[in-house]
Amino acid sequence: MNALWIRTDRLVLRPWEETDANRLMLMTQDQQFRARWGVFREPMDAARALEWVRTVHKSVMTEQLGSWAVLENAHVIGCASLLPRWPDFEDEPLMAVEYRLLHSAQGRGLATEAILGLIDFGQNQHGIEEFHAFIPPENTQAKNVAFKVGMQFWRMGRIEGVVVEIYRTHVHPGQPATRRNQRREEVA
């Protein structure tokens, strides 16, 4: 389909569309969907959701970076992002992978699958070799996702005043970014 669509075994990550804005507004009403920093700190109303969808759509279409809608069985279940983040008090951005999934989509490996898809995309489309995750210390679920995609704790930092643990992984040209691909190569 579209070169900016990312397909995994069970998911499609695609640019947000204006028709997704109402779904996004409803997702942000769920306290468990919200984040401690960034755009998902608070619920969105319809106008704010539409504005955000338009902004991230443009970013993905022009820069091939930003936030993608995560779909399972053709239904939007969350958001996955590949974008530069500037930790507080630092001059250089770090390439971040992030996700937000509805509570009903959690606990089935979908976050891991989405992040691995973004890492593959970032490596193949942009030549990115280092990816980061910014995780509040109490978020063991996100830490587990980071470990499953091959990340290791690197250091502490802050994002918008929130203390976070920063995890990172390195992928190199020719090295598969996903464990699924690594398993296939080992079997071959």
Side-chain angles (χ1 to χ4, degrees), residues 11-176:
L11 302 173
V12 171
L13 283 67
R14 64 155 169 77
W16 285 89
E17 300 170 355
E18 287 188 14
T19 56
D20 298 324
N22 190 53
R23 177 73 171 156
L24 176 65
M25 178 190 71
L26 294 174
M27 290 189 308
T28 65
Q29 307 309 306
D30 180 355
Q31 179 67 37
Q32 293 177 328
F33 182 81
R34 290 192 232 139
R36 294 198 41 211
W37 66 84
V39 69
F40 297 127
R41 275 190 313 259
E42 300 172 353
M44 292 182 173
D45 61 21
R48 188 165 165 234
L50 181 59
E51 177 185 345
W52 185 85
V53 164
R54 287 176 175 160
T55 300
V56 298
H57 178 84
K58 181 179 178 184
S59 175
V60 169
M61 299 306 288
T62 59
E63 300 172 29
Q64 297 183 1
L65 293 173
S67 296
W68 280 257
V70 177
L71 286 78
E72 179 186 35
N73 300 321
H75 297 286
V76 176
I77 60 166
C79 175
S81 304
L82 173 65
L83 68 163
R85 278 261 183 235
W86 280 262
D88 295 356
F89 313 112
E90 296 189 23
D91 295 330
E92 296 296 320
L94 301 173
M95 188 55 66
V97 287
E98 303 175 351
Y99 71 93
R100 302 296 321 151
L101 294 180
L102 289 172
H103 182 68
S104 60
Q106 296 175 10
R108 297 185 286 133
L110 299 177
T112 301
E113 196 168 317
I115 295 301
L116 287 171
L118 283 177
I119 290 172
D120 278 339
F121 179 85
Q123 180 185 21
N124 294 330
Q125 297 298 314
H126 294 286
I128 299 168
E129 295 182 9
E130 187 172 284
F131 298 87
H132 301 83
F134 301 92
I135 303 172
E138 69 279 3
N139 192 338
T140 56
Q141 189 175 22
K143 290 179 194 182
N144 288 336
V145 170
F147 290 132
K148 288 176 186 175
V149 301
M151 292 187 168
Q152 296 179 341
F153 174 78
W154 180 37
R155 64 181 174 88
M156 299 299 291
R158 286 182 182 272
I159 297 288
E160 297 180 24
V162 176
V163 173
V164 294
E165 295 176 359
I166 303 175
Y167 290 76
R168 72 175 175 179
T169 189
H170 295 275
V171 291
H172 303 285
Q175 172 190 351

